[in-house]
Amino acid sequence: MAEERINRKLAAILAADVVGYSRLMAADEAGTLAALKRHRQAVFEPVVAAHRGRIVKLIGDGTIVEFASVVDAVNCALSVQRSGELRDESQPKIILRIGINLGDVIIEGDDIYGDGVNIAARLEPAAEPGGICISSIVNESIGNRIDVRFQDSGQINVKNIDRPIRIWRWHPDTVNATVTNGRQSNTVNHQPHTAIAILPFTNMSGDPEQEYFSDGISEDIITDLSKIADLTVIARNSSFTYKGRSVDVRSIGRELGVQSVLEGSIRRSGNRVRITAQLIDATSGGHLWADRYDRDLTDIFEVQDDVTRRIVEALKVTLSPGEKERLADTKTSNLAAYDYLLRGREFMLGKEKSRERFEQAITYFKRALEHDPNYSQAYACLGFAHIFDYQNRWTDDPDSSLPLAEQYARAALEKDPNEPLARCVSAMSASFAKDLDRAKSEIDLALSLNPNLALAHNLSGTNRIYAGQPLEAIPKIEYAMRLDPALSPQFLHFLGMAYLLAGKYETAAALLRQRIVLAPRTDFSRALLASALGHLGEFEEARRVWGELREINPSYTFVEHVGRQPFRREHDVARIAEGLRNAQLLH
């Protein structure tokens, strides 16, 4: 029997507890319970929801809350502790202590475990009544992105943790506790009206070979909705992790942080297609909208447009004139071309990537162009496939794939200047050519066309890393992770690099360790982790990580690898090298 896989992730954990709860209960049990219930309903739960947190468990007077973003966790705690009194004067006063940690957690159903949770629970008693206590890694991670400054409170030893923990405290009554920082413009304030996930439509055709078609329809609905700025749309990679699984929609809503979920089915038979679709409230499980379409296959584009329009109406989203124009834009009217595009995309975006799958995808995209030579999206997909080859070195001459990717991107944009994937391919080609200014222009255009394109948000972050603006890169990459949590292993590499180049070595090390857990065969992430550890003085651990790197890739050469990266500042390369030299890994 195969060993069960342990699910892990990096999360910000908030632990809260009521000050003097036992004393309050002894004095007035009924009043204390009523006051606690009122505080949770009127203050704590609404504030957690507003900051995209998930209440994992309630244990008596204690609460554990999980956040994807450490900034959201700290801002949530600040909002709770600043909320003031909302109580019946006849009831006891509820005052909380709050502890926050950022760390690795183990996921088991709806529950979470591990050191990340344990440390948060140990930090909470170290907070002052009405205050907040955070770990050093949390303080380093938030930087200047919140409106207060935490006070260094030294190191403490806590139960069941084998190392001292440096803590930082804040209390609303502390003199000069609130500080408005000058770097607030570096944050990204993404607060759309609602968030939605499109699950892969079930293939009811009785033919497994038709999976590409049902998946393709789902993906195109995702693409269309992603063009709407007032929606947050979870990317394909993440919503498709539920394919073939029977999961309660409310659980999906909690896991992906969405309020609505679209699910459906497709039955394709000859020249007919039957599609059912239902939009579900992820909080209550109730239906917001449902319909069934029984049409000729040639009407598939009209059905897609109608489903998108009905979702927009059900969610009460107002479209700008530009969004209406982009949604009305028909990419192709040729069904054969569309069918080949879907087949190629399935090969290109599947979990398994190889030379054989790359070549098959190329064949399908070229066939799509044979049927519709003006199909911009097919050109864009060809370019994207060649970027994959350049990165993964599949073919005999992968370096030739870079100019081919640029060539296909230009062809796509000639056919349709509003093709966001083509803008991303052009940006990636420019980055590899170390033209960061042109890359940024293309990324900005891609995001104006598709505000929910996780690839473009990550590219925006990496562009800033290479341009010497690592702190500005962080919120961009974090938002990419929000849109596409399934690609967190890839995004964690760049997030760790940003913190390393910003000199925040403890946070960089935590992120890069998590990246290695999720992508065990990575080499460059290990080089960056070894550098961060070298800066922290953890030389033995740095050498152990470097040894793993050399086992994975015996021919790895740091100078050659970094030389291929488009760093604009020599200072950034020098910072990475300095950490390796500290651990005597580079001479």
PDB file of all heavy atoms in Angstrom, residues 16 35 48 57 103 111 182 213 220 225 241 262 269 293 323 337 342 344 381 434 486 489 498:
ATOM      1  N   ALA A  16      -5.868  33.108  19.939  1.00  0.00           N
ATOM      2  CA  ALA A  16      -6.462  34.105  20.835  1.00  0.00           C
ATOM      3  C   ALA A  16      -7.050  33.420  22.059  1.00  0.00           C
ATOM      4  O   ALA A  16      -7.544  32.291  21.980  1.00  0.00           O
ATOM      5  CB  ALA A  16      -7.547  34.890  20.097  1.00  0.00           C
ATOM      6  N   ALA A  35     -21.304  36.993  27.340  1.00  0.00           N
ATOM      7  CA  ALA A  35     -20.404  38.048  26.865  1.00  0.00           C
ATOM      8  C   ALA A  35     -19.436  37.517  25.815  1.00  0.00           C
ATOM      9  O   ALA A  35     -19.144  38.202  24.824  1.00  0.00           O
ATOM     10  CB  ALA A  35     -19.617  38.624  28.048  1.00  0.00           C
ATOM     11  N   VAL A  48     -12.453  38.533  11.395  1.00  0.00           N
ATOM     12  CA  VAL A  48     -11.720  37.424  10.763  1.00  0.00           C
ATOM     13  C   VAL A  48     -12.166  37.261   9.315  1.00  0.00           C
ATOM     14  O   VAL A  48     -11.342  37.124   8.403  1.00  0.00           O
ATOM     15  CB  VAL A  48     -11.921  36.112  11.553  1.00  0.00           C
ATOM     16  CG1 VAL A  48     -11.440  34.914  10.734  1.00  0.00           C
ATOM     17  CG2 VAL A  48     -11.170  36.174  12.883  1.00  0.00           C
ATOM     18  N   LYS A  57     -10.564  26.242  14.868  1.00  0.00           N
ATOM     19  CA  LYS A  57     -11.187  25.581  16.019  1.00  0.00           C
ATOM     20  C   LYS A  57     -11.443  26.580  17.139  1.00  0.00           C
ATOM     21  O   LYS A  57     -10.743  27.587  17.280  1.00  0.00           O
ATOM     22  CB  LYS A  57     -10.319  24.441  16.529  1.00  0.00           C
ATOM     23  CG  LYS A  57      -8.947  24.862  17.015  1.00  0.00           C
ATOM     24  CD  LYS A  57      -8.137  23.667  17.546  1.00  0.00           C
ATOM     25  CE  LYS A  57      -7.557  22.840  16.434  1.00  0.00           C
ATOM     26  NZ  LYS A  57      -6.646  21.794  16.889  1.00  0.00           N
ATOM     27  N   GLY A 103       4.449  29.800   9.975  1.00  0.00           N
ATOM     28  CA  GLY A 103       5.224  28.570   9.947  1.00  0.00           C
ATOM     29  C   GLY A 103       4.545  27.447   9.189  1.00  0.00           C
ATOM     30  O   GLY A 103       3.439  27.589   8.656  1.00  0.00           O
ATOM     31  N   ASP A 111      -8.663  20.513  10.011  1.00  0.00           N
ATOM     32  CA  ASP A 111      -7.802  20.862  11.133  1.00  0.00           C
ATOM     33  C   ASP A 111      -6.364  21.059  10.674  1.00  0.00           C
ATOM     34  O   ASP A 111      -5.978  20.603   9.587  1.00  0.00           O
ATOM     35  CB  ASP A 111      -7.852  19.766  12.196  1.00  0.00           C
ATOM     36  CG  ASP A 111      -7.685  20.326  13.612  1.00  0.00           C
ATOM     37  OD1 ASP A 111      -7.215  21.474  13.731  1.00  0.00           O
ATOM     38  OD2 ASP A 111      -8.015  19.609  14.574  1.00  0.00           O
ATOM     39  N   GLY A 182       6.173  55.266   5.658  1.00  0.00           N
ATOM     40  CA  GLY A 182       6.232  55.893   4.350  1.00  0.00           C
ATOM     41  C   GLY A 182       6.142  54.942   3.191  1.00  0.00           C
ATOM     42  O   GLY A 182       6.034  55.357   2.060  1.00  0.00           O
ATOM     43  N   PHE A 213     -12.343  18.276 -23.590  1.00  0.00           N
ATOM     44  CA  PHE A 213     -13.388  19.195 -24.019  1.00  0.00           C
ATOM     45  C   PHE A 213     -14.110  19.795 -22.818  1.00  0.00           C
ATOM     46  O   PHE A 213     -14.289  21.025 -22.731  1.00  0.00           O
ATOM     47  CB  PHE A 213     -14.380  18.460 -24.921  1.00  0.00           C
ATOM     48  CG  PHE A 213     -15.405  19.362 -25.564  1.00  0.00           C
ATOM     49  CD1 PHE A 213     -15.065  20.139 -26.661  1.00  0.00           C
ATOM     50  CD2 PHE A 213     -16.694  19.454 -25.066  1.00  0.00           C
ATOM     51  CE1 PHE A 213     -15.994  20.990 -27.255  1.00  0.00           C
ATOM     52  CE2 PHE A 213     -17.631  20.288 -25.644  1.00  0.00           C
ATOM     53  CZ  PHE A 213     -17.283  21.059 -26.743  1.00  0.00           C
ATOM     54  N   ASP A 220     -12.277  28.077 -20.178  1.00  0.00           N
ATOM     55  CA  ASP A 220     -12.642  29.278 -20.922  1.00  0.00           C
ATOM     56  C   ASP A 220     -13.605  30.164 -20.130  1.00  0.00           C
ATOM     57  O   ASP A 220     -13.573  31.397 -20.255  1.00  0.00           O
ATOM     58  CB  ASP A 220     -13.253  28.910 -22.273  1.00  0.00           C
ATOM     59  CG  ASP A 220     -12.183  28.530 -23.294  1.00  0.00           C
ATOM     60  OD1 ASP A 220     -11.004  28.839 -23.040  1.00  0.00           O
ATOM     61  OD2 ASP A 220     -12.515  27.924 -24.322  1.00  0.00           O
ATOM     62  N   LEU A 225     -14.319  35.201 -17.016  1.00  0.00           N
ATOM     63  CA  LEU A 225     -14.619  35.874 -15.756  1.00  0.00           C
ATOM     64  C   LEU A 225     -13.400  36.609 -15.209  1.00  0.00           C
ATOM     65  O   LEU A 225     -13.531  37.627 -14.520  1.00  0.00           O
ATOM     66  CB  LEU A 225     -15.130  34.863 -14.723  1.00  0.00           C
ATOM     67  CG  LEU A 225     -16.523  34.276 -14.993  1.00  0.00           C
ATOM     68  CD1 LEU A 225     -16.816  33.156 -14.006  1.00  0.00           C
ATOM     69  CD2 LEU A 225     -17.592  35.355 -14.887  1.00  0.00           C
ATOM     70  N   THR A 241      -7.891  21.043  -8.859  1.00  0.00           N
ATOM     71  CA  THR A 241      -7.442  20.024  -7.898  1.00  0.00           C
ATOM     72  C   THR A 241      -8.631  19.257  -7.328  1.00  0.00           C
ATOM     73  O   THR A 241      -8.450  18.193  -6.721  1.00  0.00           O
ATOM     74  CB  THR A 241      -6.660  20.659  -6.731  1.00  0.00           C
ATOM     75  OG1 THR A 241      -7.487  21.617  -6.062  1.00  0.00           O
ATOM     76  CG2 THR A 241      -5.392  21.347  -7.238  1.00  0.00           C
ATOM     77  N   LEU A 262     -18.942  27.611  -9.096  1.00  0.00           N
ATOM     78  CA  LEU A 262     -19.694  27.146 -10.260  1.00  0.00           C
ATOM     79  C   LEU A 262     -19.312  25.696 -10.533  1.00  0.00           C
ATOM     80  O   LEU A 262     -18.122  25.359 -10.604  1.00  0.00           O
ATOM     81  CB  LEU A 262     -19.384  27.991 -11.497  1.00  0.00           C
ATOM     82  CG  LEU A 262     -20.149  27.567 -12.764  1.00  0.00           C
ATOM     83  CD1 LEU A 262     -21.603  28.005 -12.691  1.00  0.00           C
ATOM     84  CD2 LEU A 262     -19.500  28.138 -14.031  1.00  0.00           C
ATOM     85  N   SER A 269     -22.356  14.444 -27.734  1.00  0.00           N
ATOM     86  CA  SER A 269     -22.762  13.288 -28.515  1.00  0.00           C
ATOM     87  C   SER A 269     -22.975  13.733 -29.958  1.00  0.00           C
ATOM     88  O   SER A 269     -23.902  14.490 -30.258  1.00  0.00           O
ATOM     89  CB  SER A 269     -24.055  12.686 -27.947  1.00  0.00           C
ATOM     90  OG  SER A 269     -24.481  11.586 -28.721  1.00  0.00           O
ATOM     91  N   TYR A 293     -28.475  23.640 -20.924  1.00  0.00           N
ATOM     92  CA  TYR A 293     -28.424  24.001 -22.346  1.00  0.00           C
ATOM     93  C   TYR A 293     -28.334  22.720 -23.171  1.00  0.00           C
ATOM     94  O   TYR A 293     -27.478  21.868 -22.925  1.00  0.00           O
ATOM     95  CB  TYR A 293     -27.194  24.858 -22.638  1.00  0.00           C
ATOM     96  CG  TYR A 293     -27.113  26.121 -21.817  1.00  0.00           C
ATOM     97  CD1 TYR A 293     -26.553  26.100 -20.536  1.00  0.00           C
ATOM     98  CD2 TYR A 293     -27.590  27.338 -22.300  1.00  0.00           C
ATOM     99  CE1 TYR A 293     -26.470  27.247 -19.773  1.00  0.00           C
ATOM    100  CE2 TYR A 293     -27.511  28.489 -21.535  1.00  0.00           C
ATOM    101  CZ  TYR A 293     -26.951  28.436 -20.273  1.00  0.00           C
ATOM    102  OH  TYR A 293     -26.875  29.575 -19.527  1.00  0.00           O
ATOM    103  N   GLU A 323     -14.686  46.032 -20.200  1.00  0.00           N
ATOM    104  CA  GLU A 323     -14.937  44.630 -19.847  1.00  0.00           C
ATOM    105  C   GLU A 323     -16.032  44.043 -20.725  1.00  0.00           C
ATOM    106  O   GLU A 323     -15.939  42.899 -21.170  1.00  0.00           O
ATOM    107  CB  GLU A 323     -15.315  44.537 -18.371  1.00  0.00           C
ATOM    108  CG  GLU A 323     -14.133  44.780 -17.435  1.00  0.00           C
ATOM    109  CD  GLU A 323     -14.531  44.975 -15.991  1.00  0.00           C
ATOM    110  OE1 GLU A 323     -15.723  45.267 -15.724  1.00  0.00           O
ATOM    111  OE2 GLU A 323     -13.656  44.850 -15.119  1.00  0.00           O
ATOM    112  N   ALA A 337     -10.845  24.421 -35.098  1.00  0.00           N
ATOM    113  CA  ALA A 337      -9.691  25.122 -34.536  1.00  0.00           C
ATOM    114  C   ALA A 337      -9.785  25.158 -33.017  1.00  0.00           C
ATOM    115  O   ALA A 337      -8.788  24.920 -32.306  1.00  0.00           O
ATOM    116  CB  ALA A 337      -9.619  26.545 -35.092  1.00  0.00           C
ATOM    117  N   LEU A 342      -8.094  23.199 -27.528  1.00  0.00           N
ATOM    118  CA  LEU A 342      -8.379  22.570 -26.245  1.00  0.00           C
ATOM    119  C   LEU A 342      -7.515  21.332 -26.034  1.00  0.00           C
ATOM    120  O   LEU A 342      -7.004  21.097 -24.930  1.00  0.00           O
ATOM    121  CB  LEU A 342      -9.857  22.189 -26.143  1.00  0.00           C
ATOM    122  CG  LEU A 342     -10.880  23.327 -26.163  1.00  0.00           C
ATOM    123  CD1 LEU A 342     -12.267  22.781 -25.855  1.00  0.00           C
ATOM    124  CD2 LEU A 342     -10.515  24.417 -25.167  1.00  0.00           C
ATOM    125  N   GLY A 344      -4.527  20.728 -27.351  1.00  0.00           N
ATOM    126  CA  GLY A 344      -3.152  21.150 -27.107  1.00  0.00           C
ATOM    127  C   GLY A 344      -2.970  21.729 -25.720  1.00  0.00           C
ATOM    128  O   GLY A 344      -1.967  21.471 -25.035  1.00  0.00           O
ATOM    129  N   CYS A 381      -0.451  30.266 -27.338  1.00  0.00           N
ATOM    130  CA  CYS A 381      -0.160  28.968 -26.716  1.00  0.00           C
ATOM    131  C   CYS A 381       1.112  28.348 -27.293  1.00  0.00           C
ATOM    132  O   CYS A 381       1.888  27.719 -26.562  1.00  0.00           O
ATOM    133  CB  CYS A 381      -1.343  28.021 -26.897  1.00  0.00           C
ATOM    134  SG  CYS A 381      -2.766  28.419 -25.849  1.00  0.00           S
ATOM    135  N   LYS A 434      16.889  39.920 -20.633  1.00  0.00           N
ATOM    136  CA  LYS A 434      17.322  40.936 -19.667  1.00  0.00           C
ATOM    137  C   LYS A 434      16.862  42.342 -20.026  1.00  0.00           C
ATOM    138  O   LYS A 434      17.490  43.334 -19.659  1.00  0.00           O
ATOM    139  CB  LYS A 434      18.843  40.889 -19.475  1.00  0.00           C
ATOM    140  CG  LYS A 434      19.340  39.513 -19.003  1.00  0.00           C
ATOM    141  CD  LYS A 434      20.795  39.510 -18.596  1.00  0.00           C
ATOM    142  CE  LYS A 434      21.196  38.133 -18.074  1.00  0.00           C
ATOM    143  NZ  LYS A 434      22.579  38.074 -17.597  1.00  0.00           N
ATOM    144  N   ALA A 486      -2.522  26.462  -5.863  1.00  0.00           N
ATOM    145  CA  ALA A 486      -1.899  25.209  -6.301  1.00  0.00           C
ATOM    146  C   ALA A 486      -0.492  25.432  -6.843  1.00  0.00           C
ATOM    147  O   ALA A 486       0.323  24.499  -6.874  1.00  0.00           O
ATOM    148  CB  ALA A 486      -2.760  24.522  -7.364  1.00  0.00           C
ATOM    149  N   PRO A 489       4.127  26.161  -4.685  1.00  0.00           N
ATOM    150  CA  PRO A 489       5.526  25.711  -4.708  1.00  0.00           C
ATOM    151  C   PRO A 489       6.401  26.567  -5.622  1.00  0.00           C
ATOM    152  O   PRO A 489       7.543  26.876  -5.288  1.00  0.00           O
ATOM    153  CB  PRO A 489       5.421  24.266  -5.223  1.00  0.00           C
ATOM    154  CG  PRO A 489       4.069  23.826  -4.796  1.00  0.00           C
ATOM    155  CD  PRO A 489       3.197  25.043  -4.923  1.00  0.00           C
ATOM    156  N   ALA A 498      12.728  37.198  -2.876  1.00  0.00           N
ATOM    157  CA  ALA A 498      12.456  38.605  -2.580  1.00  0.00           C
ATOM    158  C   ALA A 498      12.863  38.948  -1.152  1.00  0.00           C
ATOM    159  O   ALA A 498      13.514  39.971  -0.900  1.00  0.00           O
ATOM    160  CB  ALA A 498      10.969  38.901  -2.804  1.00  0.00           C
TER     161      ALA A 498
END
